[in-house]
Amino acid sequence: MEFSSKLLENAVYEMSQLPGIGKRTALRLVLHLLKQPEERTHNLSQALTKLKDEVNFCKSCHNISDTEICEICANPKRDKTLVCVVEDVRDVMAIENTSQYQGLYHVLGGKISPMEGVGPQDLNIASLVKRVEKGEVKELIFALSSTMEGDTTNFYIYKQLEKLDVITSTIARGISVGDELEYADEVTLGRSILNRVPFENSIKAG
């Protein structure tokens, strides 16, 4: 792809680094931004810079937050004895959209995947174990995607918590095997959480 401007080329290159954005789409987006009023383009760039520089991760659940403790963890109406374990913040958003869950969350930041060089030490598993050890959490809901990596991560955490006094359950298989939570419709996802089953049952079924 030939460019008449180095500035344009650099902008297209940076835009094309985003997931799902090829060079042609990146060019279309960059040209669109050039046509916008200067203020709108500057607002976008300032919002992204501010996000990167100032965003926090909740010290309790690792969700994205503007403060040290996120609004969900700080909400006195949430059930602090119930924690839903998810892969990333997109899953928190997906579950919140169902309006069927009133507990807390724990964002792992990924799944165990030896093929990609991701081990337990690379995830927020140690902090999850510490949360359970404090004694307030009575049930953990595993809500990772139904993939080999998701199942491996669930099982690893289950073994870490085996000797602790906590119930472990997993969402019902209303979510198809291999599906990511963020793409599930709200009704199916909500029912999968409400109809969760003991994790031991999922091991036997596997």
Side-chain angles (χ1 to χ4, degrees):
M1 188 178 293
E2 295 294 328
F3 295 91
S4 58
S5 163
K6 194 67 177 177
L7 294 174
L8 176 62
E9 182 178 358
N10 290 340
V12 170
Y13 171 78
E14 295 298 338
M15 188 74 77
S16 69
Q17 300 308 297
L18 296 172
I21 304 293
K23 283 198 172 183
R24 290 188 182 278
T25 301
L27 176 60
R28 187 165 68 249
L29 291 172
V30 170
L31 292 176
H32 171 77
L33 288 173
L34 276 177
K35 293 178 183 177
Q36 299 305 301
E38 188 174 305
E39 182 182 0
R40 183 172 298 175
T41 304
H42 285 170
N43 286 344
L44 172 60
S45 117
Q46 289 169 9
L48 292 173
T49 300
K50 196 174 181 67
L51 171 70
K52 186 62 177 176
D53 291 345
E54 300 180 17
V55 73
N56 291 303
F57 290 91
C58 177
K59 286 190 173 181
S60 179
C61 73
H62 306 288
N63 189 18
I64 288 178
S65 173
D66 291 339
T67 54
E68 285 193 353
I69 300 296
C70 73
E71 291 183 0
I72 295 175
C73 288
N75 188 342
K77 295 182 180 180
R78 306 292 294 222
D79 183 355
K80 299 187 185 307
T81 68
L82 187 61
V83 172
C84 186
V85 181
V86 297
E87 179 182 349
D88 63 31
V89 295
R90 292 171 297 180
D91 300 327
V92 173
M93 295 175 184
I95 294 172
E96 284 297 286
N97 285 338
T98 70
S99 300
Q100 298 292 315
Y101 178 71
Q102 293 302 314
L104 302 182
Y105 296 92
H106 192 89
V107 181
L108 294 176
K111 296 173 288 192
I112 295 173
S113 177
M115 294 290 289
E116 296 180 7
V118 180
Q121 72 281 356
D122 300 310
L123 307 177
N124 299 317
I125 294 177
S127 58
L128 174 60
V129 174
K130 287 181 180 178
R131 285 182 75 177
V132 175
E133 287 176 339
K134 290 179 180 178
E136 189 173 17
V137 179
K138 302 303 178 186
E139 181 183 356
L140 282 184
I141 305 173
F142 294 134
L144 275 63
S145 55
S146 305
T147 60
M148 182 180 296
E149 292 82 5
D151 291 342
T152 298
T153 307
N154 286 340
F155 186 72
Y156 179 87
I157 296 172
Y158 169 74
K159 296 301 288 185
Q160 297 299 303
L161 303 172
E162 208 168 12
K163 296 181 181 178
L164 299 178
D165 185 22
V166 63
I167 297 169
T168 52
S169 57
T170 185
I171 57 175
R173 294 303 192 185
I175 309 298
S176 301
V177 173
D179 280 358
E180 301 290 345
L181 290 191
E182 63 177 303
Y183 300 122
D185 68 89
E186 294 170 9
V187 174
T188 300
L189 181 54
R191 287 175 178 170
S192 293
I193 293 171
L194 293 177
N195 298 325
R196 59 187 181 275
V197 298
F199 182 69
E200 292 88 339
N201 290 7
S202 71
I203 299 174
K204 294 172 184 176

